[in-house]
Every structure is written in structure tokens, then in C-alpha cells.
């Protein structure tokens, strides 16, 4: 099949390129816009208690006040607020409300701090648009207006709250995306220049993958609208790296094999056909494993992962098609001039570094397997100390951002949980009015929960069937202590509810508690399903039942080693209370899914070498010699690209950048280069049981053990050998 694809594309390169350009124009011109949502509650399905509580609040208390933004005032000299200062705060609050800013429903004064040094203005926005771009715009306008209104006073005012955090998050993510984009381009450009010493080859993947990126983004927008998926701003940064990282991987897989066939003496166009034929199956299998792994995220209970899975799968699918059609068409049109001005492509370098590594694996496969496996196991021990944190806001922007400063100051001036109180909604189950005489005892029990600063009865709906009890925690809403405390609040709220009533606990801490439960569910569901499906892909590629087991086990060890190293560096080394809760999922996306690419490329090359009559150990050595440079180059580019995320200046991207770059490096330089080939060499022919994937295939004439030559036999490319054992 791949030979036929190569033949069609190489014979009609111009038409192939024109078809891609027409598709790009049509898709980009007609694709709908992709909305963004950063509201954490939108991550969860309606079956979770925090979401049920939010829906009940909208029905029972449609005019309930939940601040989306908080203006925090203090004197410029840090002293107690005077009567004149308080009068200025009241004036600013009144004038701010009179501006009727879009999305703003109500502006009211908040209570002063106990020490008299702080005062607040609370701003309510439309809850239906929480996290949406229009509320980010509203926060931007609020921040400007409140500072303008405070001019001429002795007040220093800062805007915080969820809407302001979304604004600061957006500014921070733009910087992060710019760094990632620039870093990706520079790293790919410089690395390809070093590898090939050819400017055309360095620029070509950037141009081609840029075209694929435009098409992929359009297709993702179509899919998001068609299937009513949840859009999230975090996808943009990840999509850049997926497209350029995976696209460059496939480009390198193809170009290294194309160069190898030219060195073997193939005519240029035939060399590209043979390259697509030989490496096409590995690229398709690698892409299939990644797509399957991404699609497994559809099983997630979290909305943003449900959308991220199909989006990334579409991106990889488009990249796969480009790798088998667009890239071969463009390169075959240019021909060997693509390597200009370098001449090094014409012959394999003597005493190649990877040839020496290959000989080492060939001679001592057991030692190689033990040492590389031991490295993975030791690093994996760090996973025992993993702890998740849920503070997406402070994790995704520097502490110096204004909304983060407000959050820190409010924790000092007020109870830490004052900015995002917990609400307990008590409702009658029979539709009769609640017995208000029981409220006092209920409040007392809620207030006695460990971690609760205070509890009070806030309001009862008009029908008297639902009461809202406000519980203020001692801790900031996203901390581990707050999440543990809200769990205890839930237990007491449910058990102490009077007969004929039921309680639902809402608020941000309750949402984080449910996200924690959802993530744990996803770990138990998504990971095993993805592993099973990847094993099926590997089994079909290798026609083996044995090999997929140790290949997926090596990938699992790579994942454990990556998470363990990240825990040791950030939790133990830098004293972080934990790692961002979504980090293991992000690592899964790249370390497990994309890291499998390198295993597939190496094992496919090992099988190819074995089919030419080599014994298992020699085949492993030759596979490392020939596929090693490709894996090293692709792994370095992808790892270095992710490492640029560490420059973004926030905890989330720093942790993510380190974890994924380290994981890709482990996948390429430990798993694929040493662990997998050495294990395969040790297991020998049994690795391919029950098939005979490593046995030499006779030519059509029945002569020889090789796969035939370019002009006869089965029509595959010729293979030559020199006295030193180098393969053509």
C-alpha cells in the first residue's frame, strides 16, 4: 500500500501540492471560529455535586451575588483606612456601578478587613459567561476604570477575582505561546541545519507543517462545532508543539531513509518511492498509536480533555497524511538539490557514533537492558511522593501578576477562603417549606468542621424550600487543605441534614474536589484503555503477541521515570506543595503516545534487519546504527521544543516543559535506543511469536534472503552490504 502511495505522489507531485493548497484555502476560509473557555466548572459533567449545587443556586437564587471581580483597596502608606478613605471607596464603588460595563450585573461594597487596613468592592458578572472572552474584556475595562477613579486619593487599588485572573492568565499565556512558537521555529531550524547542513531542508518542514497547521486548526474548529465539544485555551499551546514536533519527527523519519536510499545508488524519484515504502508503515503505525492514545481521552469525565483528545488526534491525522503525500511530493520535486550545498549526504560517515553504540548493544544486550532498565526503575520511585495541586490561576501565571497579588493580600487581610466561599444548599425533598428552627443547630455543626473559619445562614428562597449557608474556609480555595476541608464539610452537610431535606455543597473548593475525583477516575480508565489499544496497533504492525507486552511495559517505565524525576525536582528540590493536577495527563499525551513513535521506528527497523538474514543480536546492532540518528535527532528536537516552555515564567508551563522534555529524552535516548533493542536481542526469535516477522522473505524468483532489488523480485529497493557490515 505504501509503495503505491509513494508511486502516485512521486509521479504527480505538482497535483499533490495543488490539492493540499486548495484544501488549505477552502478549510481556512470556511472554518468557524474556535471559542475558548477557562472556567474550571465547565470541565465537569452535571453528575458531580458541585455542578448540581451550581444549577440549584441558579434556580433557587437567580439573583444571588457571587463576585467575579474584587477591587481591593489599601492606603499607599499601608496604614489604617480613615473616614475620608472609606468615603472615597464608597464613591468609587458607586461610580463604577454607574458605568454599566458589559457583563457587569451588580457592583456593591464589601466588608472591611478586621485590622481596618483593607476595603473591597465586589463585582458580579453574568455566571453563564464565566471564563468567556467577553468577561476577560470586562475585567480589563474594570481594572482601568477603578484605577482612574482612585486617582487623586491616598488609595492603592488592585483588581483580583476570577475574571481578573482570567485576564492575567490570557496575558501570560500569550507570552508563553510566543516563546513556544519562536523556540520551536529556532530549534527546528538550527537542529536541521546542523544535521543536514542544508538550508532548504531546514526551512522546508516549517513551511509544510505551517500549512498542515492551518488545515488542522480549521478541521478542529469544524469538529468542535459539529460535536458540541468544550473548547479550552490550553489547547493552543499544546497544539503548536504537537504539530511541529510530530510533523518534524515524520519529516526526519522520511528524509533519513531517503538519504540512505540515495547513498545506496537509487535514482532520486525511485529513492523517494522506496523511502515511503520502507518507512511508511512505521510512520502510519506510530501515528496510529498516537491517534488512538489521544482519542482515548474521549473516555475522560473532564470537558477540556474530551475536547483535547479529538483535537490532537485530528492534528496528528493531518500530519500523517502530509508525511505520506505532501512531504514526499515536495522533496521529489526538488530532488537531491534539497541537500544543497552539503555533499555529505552522498556517503555514510566512517566510524559513525551510532555504529559503535550498535556494536555495544550487539555484544552486551543483557548488560544494556539491565542498566537502562535500572535507570527507569530508580527514577520511577519518585512517583510515590506525587501530590496534585489545583491552583490553575497561580500555576499558570507569575506571582507578580496583579490578580495574584490581590489573592495573596486577601489571604493575609481576610480569611484565606473569603475570596471564594463554600455554599451549602439545604433543600426540602417533599416541596414543603424548611423548618427554620433547625437552622441554628445546622450552622453550628457546619462551623465546627475542622478547617472552617465561620459559617452562617445567608438566605432562603421565596418558596422557603431552599436555604443557602455560607461556609468560609481557613484556606485558599485551591489548596490541598481547602479540598480536604470541603470534603469534611460535605460529610457533615449530608449527615446533619434534617429529615426530609438533602444538602448539596458548591463553590470553588467543591469544584476542585470533584475535579480531583474525575482525574483519579480518568487515570483508572483512560490509561489502561489507551495502553490496550496501543498494544493492538503494535501487535498488528509486528504480527506478534510477545513484543507489544515488553514495548508497552518500557513505555510505562518511561512514564514512571518522568513523573518520578519531576516530583523529585519540583516537590522535593524546589519545595512545591505538589504538581499541577493535569500534569500526568499531559505527560501521558506526549511521553506515552509520542514516545511510542521512537519504539516503533526502532523495532520496525530491527525487524527489517532481521528479515535480511541477521541473527537477533546483529539485527539489534544494525537497527541502532541506522535508526539511531533518526531517533536522536527527532527526540532532541521535540525535547528541546518543550524545554522552551520553561522560559514562560509560571509554574504550570515550567513543570510541563521539564516533564515532557525529560520524558521525550528518556523515550528516545533510553527506551528506544537501548532498552527496547537490547530486550528484543535477548528474547530473540520468540519476540515475534506466533508470527515469523523476523524471518527473511524470499524474492519472487526464490533466490536470496534479501527483500529483492529495485528492478525485479518483489519490486522493493535493493540492499547492499560492504565488508565492514554497513548497510546501503
Amino acid at each position: 500500500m505504501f509503495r503505491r502511495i509513494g508511486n502516485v505522489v512521486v509521479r504527480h507531485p505538482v497535483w499533490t501540492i495543488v490539492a493540499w493548497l486548495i484544501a488549505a484555502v477552502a478549510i481556512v476560509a470556511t472554518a468557524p471560529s474556535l471559542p475558548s473557555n477557562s472556567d474550571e466548572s465547565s470541565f465537569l459533567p452535571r453528575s458531580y455535586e458541585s455542578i448540581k449545587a451550581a444549577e440549584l443556586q441558579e434556580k433557587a437564587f437567580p439573583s444571588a451575588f457571587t463576585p467575579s471581580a474584587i477591587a481591593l483597596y489599601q492606603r499607599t502608606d499601608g496604614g489604617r483606612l480613615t473616614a475620608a478613605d472609606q468615603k472615597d471607596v464608597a464613591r468609587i464603588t458607586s461610580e463604577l456601578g454607574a458605568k454599566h460595563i458589559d457583563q457587569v450585573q451588580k457592583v456593591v461594597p464589601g466588608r472591611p478587613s478586621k485590622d481596618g487596613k483593607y476595603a473591597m468592592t465586589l463585582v458580579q458578572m453574568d455566571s453563564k459567561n464565566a471564563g468567556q472572552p467577553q468577561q476577560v474584556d470586562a475585567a480589563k475595562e474594570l481594572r482601568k476604570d477603578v484605577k482612574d477613579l482612585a486617582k487623586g486619593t491616598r488609595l492603592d487599588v488592585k483588581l483580583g477575582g476570577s475574571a481578573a485572573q482570567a485576564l492575567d492568565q490570557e496575558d501570560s499565556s500569550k507570552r508563553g505561546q510566543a516563546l513556544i512558537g519562536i523556540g520551536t521555529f529556532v530549534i527546528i531550524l538550527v537542529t536541521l541545519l546542523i544535521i543536514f547542513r542544508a538550508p532548504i531542508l531546514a526551512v522546508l518542514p516549517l513551511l509544510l507543517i505551517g500549512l498542515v497547521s492551518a488545515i488542522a486548526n480549521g478541521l478542529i474548529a469544524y469538529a468542535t462545532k459539529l460535536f458540541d465539544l468544550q473548547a479550552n485555551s490550553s489547547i493552543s499551546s499544546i497544539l503548536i508543539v504537537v504539530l511541529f514536533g510530530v510533523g518534524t519527527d515524520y519529516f526526519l523519519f522520511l528524509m533519513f531513509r531517503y538519504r540512505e536510499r540515495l547513498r545506496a545508488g537509487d535514482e532520486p524519484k525511485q529513492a523517494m518511492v522506496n523511502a515511503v515504502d520502507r518507512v511508511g508503515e512505521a510512520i502510519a503505525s506510530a501515528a496510529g498509536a498516537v491517534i488512538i492514545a489521544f482519542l482515548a481521552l474521549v473516555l475522560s469525565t473532564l470537558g477540556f480533555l474530551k475536547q483535547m483528545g479529538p483535537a490532537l488526534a485530528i492534528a496528528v491525522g493531518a500530519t500523517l497524511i502530509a508525511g505520506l503525500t505532501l512531504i514526499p511530493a515536495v522533496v521529489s520535486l526538488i530532488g537531491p538539490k534539497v541537500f544543497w550545498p552539503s555533499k555529505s549526504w552522498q556517503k555514510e560517515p566512517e566510524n559513525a557514533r551510532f555504529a559503535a553504540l550498535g556494536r555495544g548493544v550487539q555484544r552486551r544486550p543483557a548488560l544494556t537492558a539491565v542498566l537502562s532498565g535500572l535507570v527507569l526503575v530508580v527514577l520511577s520511585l519518585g512517583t510515590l511522593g506525587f501530590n496534585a495541586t489545583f491552583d490553575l490561576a497561580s500555576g499558570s501565571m507569575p506571582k507578580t501578576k496583579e490578580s495574584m497579588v490581590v489573592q495573596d493580600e486577601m489571604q493575609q487581610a481576610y480569611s484565606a477562603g473569603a475570596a471564594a466561599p463554600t455554599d451549602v444548599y439545604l433543600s426540602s425533598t417533599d416541596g414543603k417549606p424548611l423548618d427554620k428552627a433547625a437552622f441554628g443547630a445546622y450552622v453550628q455543626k457546619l462551623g465546627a468542621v475542622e478547617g472552617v473559619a465561620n459559617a452562617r445562614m445567608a438566605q432562603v428562597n421565596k418558596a422557603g424550600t431552599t436555604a443557602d449557608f455560607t461556609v468560609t474556609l481557613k484556606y485558599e480555595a485551591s489548596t490541598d487543605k481547602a479540598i480536604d476541608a470541603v470534603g469534611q464539610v460535605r460529610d457533615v452537610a449530608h449527615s446533619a441534614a434534617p429529615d426530609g431535606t438533602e444538602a448539596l455543597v458548591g463553590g470553588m473548593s467543591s469544584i476542585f474536589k470533584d475535579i480531583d475525583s474525575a482525574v483519579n477516575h480518568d487515570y483508572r480508565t483512560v490509561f489502561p484503555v489507551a495502553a490496550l489499544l496501543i498494544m493492538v496497533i503494535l501487535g498488528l504492525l509486528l504480527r506478534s503477541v510477545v513484543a507489544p507486552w515488553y514495548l508497552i511495559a518500557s513505555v510505562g517505565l518511561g512514564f514512571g521515570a518522568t513523573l518520578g524525576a519531576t516530583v523529585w525536582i519540583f516537590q522535593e528540590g524546589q519545595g512545591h506543595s505538589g504538581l499541577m493536577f493535569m500534569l500526568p495527563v499531559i505527560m501521558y499525551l506526549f511521553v506515552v503516545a509520542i514516545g511510542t513513535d521512537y519504539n516503533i521506528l526502532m523495532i520496525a527497523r530491527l525487524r527489517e534487519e532481521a528479515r535480511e538474514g541477521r541473527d537477533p543480536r546483529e539485527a539489534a546492532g544494525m537497527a541502532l546504527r541506522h535508526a539511531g540518528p533518526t531517533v536522536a535527532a527527532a527526540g532532541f528536537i521535540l525535547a528541546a521544543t518543550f524545554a522552551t516552555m520553561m522560559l514562560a515564567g509560571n509554574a504550570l508551563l515550567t513543570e510541563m516543559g521539564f516533564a515532557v522534555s525529560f520524558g521525550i529524552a528518556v523515550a528516545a535516548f533510553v527506551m528506544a535506543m537501548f532498552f527496547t533493542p537490547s530486550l528484543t536481542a535477548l528474547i530473540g526469535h520468540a519476540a515475534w511469536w506466533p508470527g515469523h516477522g523476523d524471518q527473511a522473505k524470499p524474492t519472487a524468483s526464490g533466490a536470496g534472503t534479501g527483500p529483492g532489488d529495485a528492478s525485479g523480485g518483489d519490486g522493493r529497493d535493493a540492499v547492499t552490504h560492504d565488508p565492514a557490515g554497513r548497510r546501503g
Side-chain angles (χ1 to χ4, degrees):
M1 181 181 77
F2 296 103
R3 189 171 193 82
R4 286 196 295 271
I5 292 172
N7 271 318
V8 170
V9 170
V10 170
R11 283 178 189 165
H12 309 287
V14 175
W15 286 113
T16 303
I17 296 167
V18 168
W20 270 91
L21 291 174
I22 291 172
V25 172
I27 291 171
V28 171
T30 60
S33 60
L34 186 65
S36 179
N37 193 345
S38 58
D39 178 22
E40 284 90 345
S41 65
S42 67
F43 293 176
L44 294 165
R46 293 184 175 181
S47 57
Y48 282 88
E49 181 170 348
S50 59
I51 305 304
K52 289 180 180 178
E55 291 176 346
L56 176 61
Q57 181 255 314
E58 288 183 9
K59 292 178 183 177
F61 307 103
S63 60
F65 191 91
T66 304
S68 299
I70 300 169
L72 185 67
Y73 306 88
Q74 66 178 130
R75 281 180 61 89
T76 52
D77 60 9
R80 290 174 62 90
L81 297 174
T82 64
D85 295 330
Q86 291 171 353
K87 189 175 180 181
D88 283 330
V89 170
R91 174 187 60 79
I92 293 169
T93 302
S94 176
E95 291 183 13
L96 199 62
K99 287 183 176 290
H100 302 294
I101 297 170
D102 181 47
Q103 295 296 309
V104 173
Q105 296 178 327
K106 195 182 295 183
V107 181
V108 299
R111 60 187 178 87
S113 62
K114 289 181 180 179
D115 61 8
K117 292 184 177 181
Y118 293 88
M120 294 188 293
T121 293
L122 307 178
V123 181
Q124 182 181 16
M125 297 187 190
D126 187 351
S127 61
K128 294 179 182 177
N129 293 324
Q132 295 293 337
Q134 54 264 47
Q135 291 204 355
V136 173
D137 294 338
K140 189 174 185 178
E141 190 172 348
L142 276 168
R143 181 172 282 171
K144 177 182 179 299
D145 288 347
V146 76
K147 291 181 185 298
D148 287 343
L149 291 171
K151 286 179 179 177
T153 70
R154 294 186 175 182
L155 296 172
D156 176 42
V157 57
K158 302 181 187 74
L159 192 75
S162 59
Q165 287 177 354
L167 172 62
D168 290 341
Q169 212 169 351
E170 184 181 86
D171 291 340
S172 184
S173 67
K174 283 179 180 177
R175 178 175 178 267
Q177 283 183 36
L179 281 171
I180 293 166
I182 294 169
T184 299
F185 274 70
V186 170
I187 286 165
I188 292 174
L189 195 66
V190 172
T191 307
L192 291 180
L193 276 172
I194 292 171
I195 293 170
F196 294 108
R197 300 181 183 87
I200 298 174
L201 264 183
V203 174
L204 198 57
L206 298 175
L207 297 176
L208 298 182
I209 298 166
L211 177 65
V212 176
S213 175
I215 292 175
N217 276 296
L219 293 175
I220 290 167
Y222 271 121
T224 300
K225 185 176 182 180
L226 183 63
F227 298 106
D228 194 27
L229 298 172
Q230 180 66 56
N232 183 262
S233 55
S234 62
I235 290 174
S236 299
S237 297
I238 296 173
L239 199 60
I240 293 171
V241 184
V242 167
L243 282 163
F244 283 92
V246 173
T248 305
D249 276 4
Y250 299 163
F251 180 82
L252 286 170
F253 290 0
L254 193 66
M255 292 311 301
F256 270 93
R257 185 54 73 98
Y258 177 58
R259 184 177 67 177
E260 184 179 326
R261 295 315 313 151
L262 288 173
R263 284 172 175 172
D266 288 357
E267 181 272 328
K269 288 190 179 295
Q270 189 62 42
M272 180 54 72
V273 173
N274 289 335
V276 174
D277 179 31
R278 284 297 183 90
V279 86
E281 186 179 21
I283 290 176
S285 299
V290 175
I291 290 169
I292 287 291
F294 286 166
L295 287 178
L297 291 175
V298 172
L299 300 175
S300 171
T301 51
L302 295 174
F304 81 103
L305 288 181
K306 278 180 178 289
Q307 196 268 349
M308 185 184 290
L312 296 178
I314 289 169
V316 174
T319 308
L320 166 63
I321 297 170
L324 297 177
T325 59
L326 180 62
I327 293 172
V330 172
V331 174
S332 66
L333 202 61
I334 300 171
K337 290 180 181 177
V338 76
F339 295 104
W340 179 87
S342 173
K343 303 286 187 183
S344 62
W345 63 271
Q346 296 175 357
K347 61 179 180 178
E348 184 182 0
E350 295 293 331
N351 302 318
R353 197 173 290 113
F354 289 94
L357 292 175
R359 288 192 295 270
V361 170
Q362 180 178 338
R363 290 169 186 164
R364 299 182 182 84
L367 180 64
T368 304
V370 169
L371 289 178
S372 55
L374 194 61
V375 169
L376 297 175
V377 170
V378 169
L379 289 174
S380 296
L381 295 176
T383 59
L384 299 174
F386 172 71
N387 183 51
T389 60
F390 295 84
D391 191 359
L392 278 176
S394 62
S396 56
M397 65 182 114
K399 286 285 188 182
T400 53
K401 285 289 186 179
E402 186 170 324
S403 58
M404 290 295 95
V405 174
V406 170
Q407 179 174 292
D408 291 342
E409 289 182 349
M410 284 192 66
Q411 288 184 39
Q412 296 171 10
Y414 299 83
S415 168
T422 296
D423 288 290
V424 177
Y425 299 103
L426 189 68
S427 301
S428 63
T429 54
D430 55 9
K432 295 180 181 178
L434 295 167
D435 179 12
K436 295 183 179 180
F439 287 177
Y442 193 62
V443 168
Q444 193 173 5
K445 289 179 180 177
L446 292 174
V449 174
E450 186 177 352
V452 171
N454 62 74
R456 60 186 178 86
M457 206 289 290
Q459 57 185 326
V460 179
N461 69 340
K462 291 181 180 179
T465 55
T466 301
D468 174 14
F469 298 86
T470 299
V471 177
T472 304
L473 302 178
K474 295 178 181 178
Y475 319 108
E476 197 276 320
S478 63
T479 60
D480 291 341
K481 290 182 177 180
I483 292 169
D484 291 340
V486 87
Q488 295 180 51
V489 169
R490 281 185 178 182
D491 292 340
V492 171
H494 296 159
S495 62
D499 292 339
T501 67
E502 66 175 1
L504 292 173
V505 180
M508 287 309 302
S509 294
S510 185
I511 288 171
F512 291 134
K513 177 75 175 175
D514 286 340
I515 289 177
D516 188 25
S517 300
V519 168
N520 289 331
H521 166 272
D522 290 350
Y523 291 162
R524 295 190 300 270
T525 306
V526 176
F527 286 14
V529 169
L532 182 63
L533 293 174
I534 290 174
M535 283 180 67
V536 171
I537 293 271
L538 292 171
L540 293 173
L541 167 67
L542 304 173
R543 282 78 167 173
S544 166
V545 172
V546 176
W549 284 98
Y550 66 82
L551 288 176
I552 204 70
S554 73
V555 171
L557 276 175
F559 175 87
T562 303
L563 182 57
T566 309
V567 168
W568 273 334
I569 287 176
F570 290 97
Q571 285 186 208
E572 306 299 332
Q574 296 190 9
H576 291 195
S577 61
L579 304 177
M580 293 306 298
F581 74 93
M582 65 173 67
L583 191 62
V585 179
I586 300 298
M587 283 169 47
Y588 152 80
L589 290 175
F590 295 101
V591 179
V592 175
I594 296 178
T596 305
D597 283 10
Y598 307 133
N599 260 348
I600 287 175
L601 184 71
M602 186 63 73
I603 202 75
R605 185 57 184 253
L606 194 153
R607 179 188 61 179
E608 185 181 324
E609 298 291 345
R611 282 177 171 176
E612 292 172 13
R614 294 186 171 91
D615 65 53
R617 293 192 178 199
E618 186 185 3
M622 292 302 291
L624 180 52
R625 174 178 187 158
H626 291 291
T630 312
V631 169
F636 173 79
I637 288 175
L638 196 57
T641 299
F642 271 104
T644 60
M645 298 170 73
M646 298 174 68
L647 303 174
N650 65 67
L652 175 61
L653 289 180
T654 300
E655 290 174 7
M656 191 187 302
F658 170 81
V660 179
S661 60
F662 184 86
I664 293 294
V666 166
F669 296 99
V670 181
M671 284 161 40
M673 209 164 287
F674 296 107
F675 194 61
T676 298
S678 61
L679 274 181
T680 307
L682 283 173
I683 297 170
H685 296 294
W688 310 98
W689 184 88
H692 305 284
D694 64 333
Q695 291 188 5
K697 291 184 177 182
T699 62
S701 62
T705 58
D709 57 47
S711 59
D714 64 358
R716 294 169 70 87
D717 52 311
V719 178
T720 60
H721 304 279
D722 67 11
R726 286 188 301 274
R727 179 178 181 279

